[in-house]
Structure formats: structure tokens, C-alpha cells
Amino acid sequence: MKEKRKNTNTEEKILAAAKKVFIAKGMAGARMQDIADEMGMNKALLHYYFKTKEQLFEVIFKETIGKFIPKLKALLIADISLEDKIKFFCNEYIQMAQDNPYLPLFILNELNKQPAQFIDKIFSGELPDLNKFTFQLEQEIKAKRIKPISPVQLLMNMMSMCIFPFIAKPMFNAVLGLDELQFRLTMEQRKKDIPKFILDSIKK
Amino acid sequence: MKEKRKNTNTEEKILAAAKKVFIAKGMAGARMQDIADEMGMNKALLHYYFKTKEQLFEVIFKETIGKFIPKLKALLIADISLEDKIKFFCNEYIQMAQDNPYLPLFILNELNKQPAQFIDKIFSGELPDLNKFTFQLEQEIKAKRIKPISPVQLLMNMMSMCIFPFIAKPMFNAVLGLDELQFRLTMEQRKKDIPKFILDSIKK
DNA sequence: GTCTATAACTCGATAGAC
DNA sequence: GTCTATCGAGTTATAGAC
């Protein structure tokens, strides 16, 4: 009983420390020693609970991405207006990146290394359903409420504007002369600015 | 004479092999062994021509990126209308990515590993001058020809929409159901669509 | 369960033969 | 100039004491 309790407790501490380190340094950059230091215990223990570094990472990754993807899938088929969909989408996307700054670049790297397998993994074998979104868009266009635009171009624009700044953050900070705080505020602002930018462009 | 010829020849072979490997795996992920294998010779030779891995990387890097950045810097301060600037910028950016499909992700990875040094390297110590662009934008806003928008948000939007699709290509291809050809055509289309999308959004 | 010590491995770099 | 063999630093993983 006592062992079980301790076990669980330590396991959680490891996961918390590992998440912090993995997010800060990425899978390749993270050292098992860093994780041990972060939790104030020793390396060997990590291997006792999670056989390999790979395995430990896998657990963290699945937990982080596992919550986010279903949310996005659900949003695409939700029963709300196109305008709200765009607003919620940008908000969720940017918030996720703010909470997990290292994740986007990591995902893109894995994606490019093993496209098919990786897509299968993150979407759990079921790609998001775009029919509803496409249909909504077509309806708005037919009703002359928005200008003609393909769902492909619209989705590309929306996702790009939300995520790319996080990946290229050091460059933006340097070129645009932002510090950490200003960057954070800029991205906070973009939760509203991107939907507005998009809607200003497509609305008639 | 013979040695000199051989020397140059081998050096070029090394550079070609190294470029391939570095771009595919990044500085940290690349192995000297991989490069040696790629050119069908042995590791020690690499160190004979380029003392360290770092040095070899440096040469490749400068050659690859060295052509593109000055073009962009020049464009920002060019004496053309804001509208044309946006059009040319998107065109150049997308064309570069089409010609070097692996370069964007490579650059972003290196950027995130060693932000300060990397920025110094790619901009050769001199950051792009945004004053002219900012001034032009302000003029247009004052003249009520375009809606208020900060240069930061505008540049972020523009760069994001041009580059991100190349980095996330496998995901877009899967989710949006595109094949290689359709993707290429989509990006070709975006050379015109992105400027239009931006201008539709900000023009009054 | 947790620790210390160390084995096992990876990889950049060098020595030295040809 | 090119090769084989090996060193040495850094890191993951394991053995074994407590």
C-alpha cells in the first residue's frame, strides 16, 4: 500500500518534470539528467519507471496531443456559425502553442520524418472531417455573404498565421525587435486579430 | 597539379554530400558518418578538408542562405508601392521554398537551437531595416487607403502564409486530400492568392 | 523504491600507415 | 590525399547495494 502510493507519486513527479524539460528542450535536446535534476532525484529512477527515454517521451506526447486533436476535430464539425468557428479555431490553436511552446516544431519535425505513420498516430487513424466546414463555407459564398475562397486556401491561411509565429519566434523577436513579453502580448492580441484579418478579407 | 585538381574535386564532393545530409537531418542530427557514406568515402577525410563538423556546416550554410537573405533585405527598402512590395515578397518567398523544399524547416530548427548566433549568421550581423516598410504602411493608413494594422502583425501574417504550408506539407496533403501535383499547384496559386487575401483584408 | 557506480554505446576527432 | 584503427567526451541504460 505504502509502496503503491509512493510509486504513483514518483511517477507523477517524473512526468511533470519530464514534460517541463521536453517542452523546453525538445526530445533530442533533453537530457535524462536534466529531468532527474528538475525533480530532485536521480537518473536511474527514471529508467525504473520508464524503461527508455523514448518511452517516457511517448507518454508525455500522447497525453499532450491527445487532448488537443479531438478538440479540433470536434470544432470543425460543431454546430456553430462559420465566423465563430474561425474565432474559436484561432483561439484554441494559439492557446495550445502558448501552453506548449516546443510542441509545434517537434510535431513538424516528426511529421516530415515519417509522414504516414505520424499522421496515423496523431489523428488516431481518423482524419478530421472537413465536409461540414466546406459545406458551411459554400453556403456563405452562395448567400453572397463572403467572397469565393476555397476551403484549402482558407484553412492554410488560418493555421499558418496561428502557428508559424511560434516556430519562427526567435526570428520575429530579432527582426521586429520584440522581447519575450511583447511577443506574448502580440500572440495574445493575435487571438482576436487573426479572425478579424481573415473576416475582413473574405466578408463582402 | 594533379593533387590540386583532386583536392578540389573531393572538396566539392564533400560539400555536395554534406549539404544533402545537413538539410535533411539538421546540424545536430547529421552524422559525419552519414556524410562520408553519402559520398562513398571515409570520415577521416572530412576532417582533413574541414577541421570540424561545425566548420563544414558553416560553409554549407553560408552558401545556401547567403543568396536569399540579401534579396529580401533589398525588397523591404525598395522604392516601390506597398502593394507591389507585398506581391513581390510573397512571390520571392514561395519561389524560394519551391526551389528548396527542405530549407525552411532546416532553418527553423537551427534558429530555435541557437537563436542569437543563428540570427547573427543569417543576417550577417545586420538586421533588415523595417523603417521604410513601416513608414510606407503608416502613410497608406494616414491617407485612409488601408485600415490600421501594425507592421508586426502584417509581416507575421505574410511570412506565415507563404512559408508554413511547405513545412506542414504532409499534414495538409493528408487532411486536405491533396497529392503532390495538387500541392504544387496550390502553392503556385498562392503566389497570387496571398497578396490578394492580404490586400482584401487591409484595403478600405 | 531509491541510490551510487559503472557498463555500453554514440559520435566527433586524431594518429599513423600507405 | 586517403585509409584503418582508436581515443575520449558525453549520454543512455543497467547492476547491485541499501
Side-chain angles (χ1 to χ4, degrees):
Chain A
M1 187 60 182
K2 198 171 186 182
E3 291 86 352
K4 189 114 199 228
R5 201 177 282 272
K6 246 188 180 171
N7 179 325
T8 306
N9 195 6
T10 304
E11 195 167 325
E12 275 164 15
K13 269 206 252 171
I14 292 176
L15 285 172
K19 180 165 185 177
K20 206 164 161 183
V21 174
F22 278 134
I23 284 181
K25 307 194 172 183
M27 164 67 183
R31 298 283 154 256
M32 293 298 264
Q33 188 61 58
D34 298 336
I35 298 172
D37 291 348
E38 175 68 32
M39 69 178 295
M41 293 180 124
N42 72 85
K43 255 189 336 174
L45 210 53
L46 305 179
H47 291 285
Y48 176 79
Y49 282 90
F50 304 88
K51 201 105 191 77
T52 68
K53 179 183 170 183
E54 193 89 16
Q55 232 171 79
L56 176 54
F57 182 81
E58 197 79 358
V59 173
I60 308 276
F61 181 74
K62 277 197 178 138
E63 197 204 273
T64 308
I65 197 97
K67 288 175 195 158
F68 181 63
I69 297 288
K71 228 191 237 178
L72 279 192
K73 280 185 181 171
L75 181 54
L76 277 172
I77 57 172
D79 214 8
I80 55 176
S81 71
L82 185 70
E83 191 168 328
D84 280 348
K85 215 164 263 195
I86 290 171
K87 284 178 185 167
F88 282 128
F89 189 97
C90 293
N91 200 72
E92 288 291 332
Y93 232 70
I94 291 177
Q95 189 57 49
M96 183 276 292
Q98 279 177 329
D99 293 341
N100 304 279
Y102 206 92
L103 206 57
L105 190 55
F106 173 79
I107 291 179
L108 290 168
N109 275 316
E110 296 305 308
L111 176 67
N112 278 280
K113 271 179 213 152
Q114 306 262 340
Q117 296 92 313
F118 190 75
I119 286 185
D120 217 59
K121 214 199 279 184
I122 68 174
F123 290 121
S124 320
E126 225 172 292
L127 291 175
D129 175 14
L130 298 183
N131 287 331
K132 174 118 185 196
F133 184 82
T134 304
F135 180 74
Q136 275 184 300
L137 184 58
E138 278 166 3
Q139 290 301 104
E140 295 292 308
I141 293 171
K142 256 188 213 146
K144 313 259 185 204
R145 280 193 292 271
I146 69 173
K147 299 172 197 160
I149 183 171
S150 79
V152 170
Q153 301 283 8
L154 178 56
L155 284 169
M156 270 192 184
N157 290 348
M158 187 161 63
M159 294 179 64
S160 299
M161 287 190 283
C162 290
I163 294 299
F164 187 74
F166 288 98
I167 306 170
K169 178 173 128 176
M171 191 194 53
F172 283 126
N173 281 359
V175 174
L176 304 176
L178 311 177
D179 59 26
E180 284 299 309
L181 176 63
Q182 287 171 320
F183 180 84
R184 206 157 56 71
L185 293 175
T186 299
M187 292 316 299
E188 199 54 45
Q189 182 65 32
R190 280 174 77 79
K191 286 182 184 171
K192 296 220 156 59
D193 282 359
I194 295 172
K196 182 176 181 305
F197 189 83
I198 293 173
L199 292 166
D200 275 356
S201 180
I202 65 178
K203 266 196 170 170
K204 276 197 171 159
Chain B
M1 188 61 183
K2 198 171 184 181
E3 290 86 355
K4 188 114 202 230
R5 202 179 281 273
K6 243 187 180 172
N7 179 325
T8 306
N9 194 8
T10 303
E11 195 167 325
E12 276 165 14
K13 268 205 253 170
I14 292 176
L15 286 172
K19 177 168 180 173
K20 206 165 161 183
V21 174
F22 276 133
I23 285 184
K25 307 194 171 182
M27 164 68 182
R31 299 284 154 255
M32 293 299 263
Q33 189 62 57
D34 297 336
I35 298 172
D37 291 348
E38 174 70 33
M39 69 179 295
M41 293 180 126
N42 73 84
K43 251 190 339 171
L45 209 54
L46 305 179
H47 290 284
Y48 177 79
Y49 283 90
F50 304 88
K51 201 103 191 77
T52 67
K53 181 183 173 186
E54 192 85 20
Q55 231 171 79
L56 176 55
F57 178 80
E58 198 79 0
V59 174
I60 306 281
F61 181 76
K62 281 198 176 136
E63 197 205 271
T64 308
I65 195 101
K67 293 171 195 159
F68 181 62
I69 298 288
K71 226 192 236 178
L72 281 192
K73 279 186 182 172
L75 182 54
L76 277 172
I77 56 172
D79 213 8
I80 55 177
S81 72
L82 185 71
E83 191 168 328
D84 281 347
K85 214 164 263 193
I86 291 172
K87 285 178 185 167
F88 281 128
F89 189 97
C90 293
N91 200 73
E92 286 291 331
Y93 232 69
I94 292 178
Q95 188 58 49
M96 183 276 293
Q98 279 177 329
D99 294 341
N100 304 279
Y102 293 103
L103 204 57
L105 188 57
F106 168 73
I107 290 179
L108 290 167
N109 273 315
E110 299 308 317
L111 173 68
N112 277 280
K113 274 174 211 152
Q114 304 265 340
Q117 296 91 314
F118 191 78
I119 296 227
D120 216 60
K121 233 190 267 177
I122 70 173
F123 292 120
S124 318
E126 222 171 297
L127 291 176
D129 175 14
L130 298 182
N131 288 331
K132 174 118 184 194
F133 184 82
T134 303
F135 179 74
Q136 276 185 301
L137 184 59
E138 277 167 3
Q139 290 300 105
E140 295 292 309
I141 293 171
K142 254 187 216 148
K144 313 258 186 203
R145 281 192 292 269
I146 70 174
K147 300 172 197 161
I149 183 171
S150 79
V152 169
Q153 302 282 8
L154 179 54
L155 283 168
M156 270 192 183
N157 290 347
M158 187 162 62
M159 295 179 64
S160 300
M161 287 190 283
C162 290
I163 294 298
F164 186 75
F166 288 98
I167 305 170
K169 180 173 128 178
M171 191 195 51
F172 283 126
N173 282 359
V175 174
L176 304 176
L178 310 177
D179 59 27
E180 284 299 308
L181 177 63
Q182 287 172 319
F183 180 84
R184 206 158 54 73
L185 294 175
T186 298
M187 292 315 299
E188 198 57 44
Q189 183 64 32
R190 280 173 78 77
K191 285 183 185 171
K192 296 221 156 58
D193 282 0
I194 295 172
K196 182 177 181 306
F197 188 83
I198 293 174
L199 292 167
D200 275 357
S201 181
I202 64 179
K203 267 196 169 170
K204 275 197 171 158

